[in-house]
Amino acid sequence: MASNAIKSGALVPLPELQPSSEFFKEGASLRVTGKLQEYSVETAIAVIADQGATLKVDTQHLRELSFRIGSIFQFIGELNILPNNEAILQARTGRNVDGIDLDLYYQSLQQLRQFQAKHMKNATT
Amino acid sequence: MDQQPPSLLHIHVKLLGFSLHSITPWPNNPSIFYLNGKRISRIEILGVVTSRDYRPNKFLRFTLDDGTHSITCILWLNHLTSPFFASRQPATLRVISDLAKCFADDIQFGKVARVRGRVSSYRGDLQVTVSDVVIERDPDAETLHRLDCISLGRRCYFG
């Protein structure tokens, strides 16, 4: 399949989104999940948190999404790296995922990475 | 006597988006494809709707993002006008057309959709010609689909 104009958001847990991470790149398309810690109506900037890590999310382009402190949200968007090495995700989609089993979610990501690694290896041999 | 493995040709093979890279066309029939040496024609995918191009009474083209790949899907909406469907009974066509319009209304930006359909090729790119849509509201639906695809991939499709 040829590359799609709409980039897929790579599934990245917030604790992995550190400056040393391969996902910490300007313009990287990511999908992140976390509990809403703060939200500013004026700036439309949300702060989500998970396992001690936090991330700012610019939600100005999102519609029909109610932001409730304490709820778990999932966003797909592109990473913008600011001059002070702080990252902010420019979200293009977002949804409330209250009730999600985060333990199972992270286990599935581990399984996915193992599966993809083996699949890619087999494809090249 | 060795038993033949079950055929995947007439079932909806559950796949993650990145596995579509493993699908190759079968030269003898444009509606049949190969997945790791096995013939398939239909797949089931699940992801977030990340683009939507709606042409009334013609088609809805949209993309599903499942975290591994963006998959292009095409839902035809021209059942009542296209000569392709001319041989069908008008009453049946109307039911199919109404159902397709319902699916088109359900496919909205940001929603999580489970899509079943035929693998097809358009200008060299693989896409899914949609036959069925379910909007998933369970926040664990994607996780469970991901695990299903991995399990089936290991035990059946790529095993």
Side-chain angles (χ1 to χ4, degrees), chain A residues 1-2 4 6-9 31 74 92-93 95 97-98 100-101 104-105 108 111-112 115-116 119-120, chain B residues 16 18 20 22 48 50 65-70 72 109 112 125-126 139-140 142-143 146 150 154 158:
Chain A
M1 288 180 80
N4 203 296
I6 307 293
K7 293 271 184 199
S8 170
R31 188 195 298 209
Q74 190 172 79
R92 30 186 177 93
T93 78
R95 63 186 183 118
V97 290
D98 275 345
I100 191 171
D101 184 335
L104 189 63
Y105 175 73
S108 76
Q111 291 293 319
L112 175 63
F115 183 67
Q116 282 184 295
H119 198 65
M120 300 296 190
Chain B
L16 293 168
F18 86 98
L20 267 67
S22 302
V48 177
T50 51
D65 178 357
D66 67 358
T68 68
H69 192 71
S70 282
T72 301
F109 196 81
V112 172
D125 293 338
L126 286 183
D140 288 322
E142 284 192 282
T143 300
R146 188 176 303 127
I150 293 168
R154 286 173 176 160
F158 303 107

